[in-house]
Amino acid sequence: KPAEGGCEGGRRRRGWLTAMGATVPEDPAETHADDDVQSVPPEKAMRITFDAGIREWVEEETNIRVAEQMFGIGEKFGAIRVYDEDLKTYMALKPWMQQGPAPKPQDLAKCQQVASKCAELFSAMAASLGRGDVKTVFLKSCIYSLLQRANVSTILGQAQLPAEWDKRKIVHATDVESHKFAAFQFYSYFSSGRGMVITSASTVQGMWTEPSIASTDRSIGGGTDGGADAIRVWSADFARTYCSMLGLEEEALWALSPEDFLYAMHLKGLLGAPESPFHAWRPPSNEPPLPFAPLP
């Protein structure tokens, strides 16, 4: 995809590529082949992953093969193909390409991993109620520190997508996918003890990515975390939309459990046709908040 961002974006791109020793081909899609990585020698790197379950960063040494050309440039990020020999999988290094200050890779990776963990738990809940088709998946993310390149700091890494993809922002309450995202938001809000919510995300190749998170103590969403104020704005907008759609008063909406909310959306047909009958209503769980909920 074409790069955007004017002169500043161009300077940022050239500076990063110079440090990496990488180039941008005339047709990035032409580099999307196995041999663009396997033909280069491996190099030592540190893969740093945020474990949302224990709320800690985990460091693992690995060897990676980094392609010499970008295979894609999007609105925000570039993408260089990488093969992680420890994981035995292809990843993409994603340098920031827009104007202005770049977000910290640590913040981006942490948001992605928190959203991914929450999506796993939400999908399990939906499946237990007979709506396994409401399964949600966030792309996994990490940080790579390239130990043999003195001029390159840590950089965001993410599961690789095809060279050609159609990524779009999930627009509030417009289609089945957006309603599924709303059910996921409701789950993240209540299952974190009302301490955080995934306020927005994009969809690509049937998966979600680039989440924005607001948390009461601003401990999760990084530089874009709007804290309690952002949660209040989200909850007011959410209530206006779904009180109307579900025929509920606001007090009744927020009294629902995540299971109840999913069932209410199911009854209104907002989630599409189910693959199996919805299971009988169950009392809300008394389990403690998710392990990545903000600290008191």
Side-chain angles (χ1 to χ4, degrees):
K1 292 188 177 183
E4 298 180 7
C7 294
E8 177 62 28
R11 284 194 293 271
R12 184 188 305 283
R13 181 168 64 255
R14 287 193 296 273
W16 190 86
L17 291 174
T18 298
M20 285 290 295
T23 60
V24 179
E26 292 184 7
D27 182 2
E30 292 182 357
T31 69
H32 194 71
D34 290 349
D35 59 8
D36 76 314
V37 172
Q38 297 300 339
S39 62
V40 298
E43 59 183 273
K44 293 186 181 300
M46 185 72 72
R47 184 179 60 252
I48 309 167
T49 307
F50 184 74
D51 187 324
I54 62 174
R55 300 180 62 171
E56 291 182 1
W57 291 94
V58 178
E59 296 185 352
E60 299 171 290
E61 290 189 4
T62 186
N63 289 303
I64 60 175
R65 297 176 185 265
V66 183
E68 296 177 349
Q69 293 184 322
M70 283 192 176
F71 72 84
I73 303 174
E75 181 183 356
K76 295 181 179 180
F77 298 96
I80 284 191
R81 186 174 168 86
V82 173
Y83 183 74
D84 188 314
E85 296 194 334
D86 180 46
L87 296 178
K88 293 181 171 47
T89 189
Y90 290 96
M91 302 285 286
L93 296 182
K94 301 186 65 178
W96 183 253
M97 293 296 189
Q98 283 193 330
Q99 295 186 46
K104 295 179 180 179
Q106 292 88 340
D107 290 343
L108 297 173
K110 183 177 182 179
C111 281
Q112 196 89 1
Q113 289 297 100
V114 167
S116 179
K117 181 65 175 179
C118 193
E120 291 176 9
L121 297 171
F122 168 75
S123 297
M125 179 206 75
S128 74
L129 298 173
R131 289 303 307 242
D133 56 308
V134 183
K135 179 179 180 179
T136 61
V137 177
F138 268 89
L139 289 172
K140 299 285 187 178
S141 187
C142 65
I143 303 166
Y144 282 102
S145 178
L146 309 185
L147 302 178
Q148 296 178 217
R149 307 196 188 207
N151 296 324
V152 179
S153 59
T154 54
I155 185 169
L156 181 67
Q158 186 172 282
Q160 185 186 296
L161 292 168
E164 296 297 327
W165 64 84
D166 180 22
K167 182 173 67 178
R168 62 178 179 83
K169 202 79 170 176
I170 298 175
V171 180
H172 184 57
T174 54
D175 55 18
V176 169
E177 183 164 42
S178 66
H179 295 313
K180 180 170 72 172
F181 184 65
F184 168 71
Q185 289 180 302
F186 195 93
Y187 177 85
S188 72
Y189 181 52
F190 276 91
S191 296
S192 64
R194 305 194 185 200
M196 59 154 264
V197 65
I198 289 86
T199 56
S200 66
S202 294
T203 179
V204 56
Q205 297 286 309
M207 294 174 284
W208 294 345
T209 187
E210 298 179 8
S212 293
I213 298 179
S215 54
T216 52
D217 61 357
R218 298 177 185 261
S219 66
I220 299 177
T224 62
D225 191 328
D229 289 342
I231 293 177
R232 280 192 289 270
V233 170
W234 167 81
S235 63
D237 185 46
F238 190 93
R240 277 193 300 270
T241 300
Y242 285 99
C243 281
S244 175
M245 286 188 170
L246 300 177
L248 296 171
E249 296 293 331
E250 184 170 350
E251 183 177 355
L253 174 72
W254 296 123
L256 296 177
S257 68
E259 293 91 345
D260 288 334
F261 184 74
L262 193 71
Y263 185 51
M265 297 187 81
H266 165 82
L267 290 177
K268 291 291 185 179
L270 298 178
L271 302 174
E275 293 179 351
S276 59
F278 202 94
H279 292 180
W281 179 87
R282 301 181 310 168
S285 171
N286 292 320
E287 294 179 359
L290 297 176
F292 49 77
L295 296 171

